[in-house]
């Protein structure tokens, strides 16, 4: 009789362990979560990546709203000289002006050029205790020369303003 009691204990322990395992796995009676809990008409639309852009055929062109047609294209805005940054425009191509700016920077006393990147159109400059970039950007009227601080904002301190003034005097036609 003693053997049957231990078999019942083992069997009851196995049933209890199975019930605990099934109850705590999270697979039963938990319901949908997130967007799947919403009604089908309220769920966000998922579009496959290759269907995001229309094809090249004229039939696949997306019509433009009248309110969007009046806005200028973003590419056109990038070729114009910025109006809110401290800088100046020099006639000529970006590469020609980049070389001229390098020569002018070397002739200014106290300027240390740490590095230069012609493809980016920038000189990393140290002048009067300030570190900043002198940038040359191609625009419609030639090339725009400006100073940019390490945060990427226009450098408006005393040293960048003074250096830009000297560069403008040396590069002015």
């Amino acid at each position: 009789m003693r053997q049957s009691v231990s078999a019942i204990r083992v069997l009851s322990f196995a049933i209890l362990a199975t019930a605990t395992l099934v109850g705590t796995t999270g697979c039963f009676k938990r319901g949908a979560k997130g967007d799947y809990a919403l009604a089908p008409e309220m769920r966000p639309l998922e579009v496959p990546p290759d269907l995001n852009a229309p094809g090249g055929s004229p039939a696949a062109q997306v019509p433009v709203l009248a309110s969007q047609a009046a806005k200028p294209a973003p590419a056109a805005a990038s070729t114009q000289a910025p109006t809110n940054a401290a800088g100046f425009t020099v006639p000529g191509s970006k590469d020609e002006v980049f070389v001229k700016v390098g020569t002018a920077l070397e002739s200014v006393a106290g300027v240390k050029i740490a590095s230069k990147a012609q493809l980016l159109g920038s000189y990393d400059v140290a002048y009067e205790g300030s570190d900043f970039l002198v940038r040359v950007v191609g625009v419609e009227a030639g090339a725009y020369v400006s100073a940019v601080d390490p945060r990427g904002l226009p450098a408006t301190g005393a040293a960048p303003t003074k250096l830009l003034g000297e560069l403008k005097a040396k590069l002015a036609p």
Side-chain angles (χ1 to χ4, degrees), residues 98-137:
F98 182 81
V99 172
K100 290 179 184 178
V101 168
T103 306
L105 283 172
E106 291 170 355
S107 68
V108 175
V111 172
K112 181 183 176 203
I113 301 173
S115 65
K116 63 181 178 180
Q118 187 165 1
L119 288 176
L120 298 175
S122 66
Y123 288 93
D124 189 358
V125 174
Y127 181 65
E128 293 184 355
S130 295
D131 294 330
F132 53 92
L133 293 177
V134 175
R135 284 190 27 194
V136 180
V137 180

Side-chain angles (χ1 to χ4, degrees), residues 25-39 43-44 46:
T25 58
C27 296
F28 301 100
K29 297 183 183 181
R30 293 287 181 157
K33 293 183 180 180
D35 292 334
Y36 294 107
L38 299 173
R43 293 180 190 157
E46 295 181 17

Side-chain angles (χ1 to χ4, degrees), residues 51-77:
L51 294 178
N52 286 1
S57 68
Q61 295 299 321
V62 178
V64 177
L65 298 175
S67 61
Q68 292 176 341
K71 295 179 184 177

Side-chain angles (χ1 to χ4, degrees), residues 3-173:
Q3 290 178 346
S4 65
V5 173
S6 66
I8 293 175
R9 278 188 183 167
V10 171
L11 184 60
S12 64
F13 180 71
I15 292 173
L16 180 63
T18 305
T20 304
L21 182 65
V22 169
T24 59
T25 58
C27 296
F28 301 100
K29 297 183 183 181
R30 293 287 181 157
K33 293 183 180 180
D35 292 334
Y36 294 107
L38 299 173
E41 60 272 0
M42 298 299 292
R43 293 180 190 157
L45 180 63
E46 295 181 17
V47 179
D50 59 340
L51 294 178
N52 286 1
S57 68
Q61 295 299 321
V62 178
V64 177
L65 298 175
S67 61
Q68 292 176 341
K71 295 179 184 177
S78 66
T79 61
Q80 298 174 355
T83 56
N84 59 352
F88 58 94
T89 304
V90 179
S93 71
K94 175 186 168 187
D95 293 331
E96 292 171 354
V97 175
F98 182 81
V99 172
K100 290 179 184 178
V101 168
T103 306
L105 283 172
E106 291 170 355
S107 68
V108 175
V111 172
K112 181 183 176 203
I113 301 173
S115 65
K116 63 181 178 180
Q118 187 165 1
L119 288 176
L120 298 175
S122 66
Y123 288 93
D124 189 358
V125 174
Y127 181 65
E128 293 184 355
S130 295
D131 294 330
F132 53 92
L133 293 177
V134 175
R135 284 190 27 194
V136 180
V137 180
V139 293
E140 290 177 12
Y144 185 73
V145 180
S146 64
V148 180
D149 69 5
R151 299 172 296 167
L153 300 173
T156 56
T161 304
K162 181 179 176 184
L163 183 60
L164 280 179
E166 292 184 32
L167 288 176
K168 186 173 183 178
K170 292 180 185 251
L171 298 174

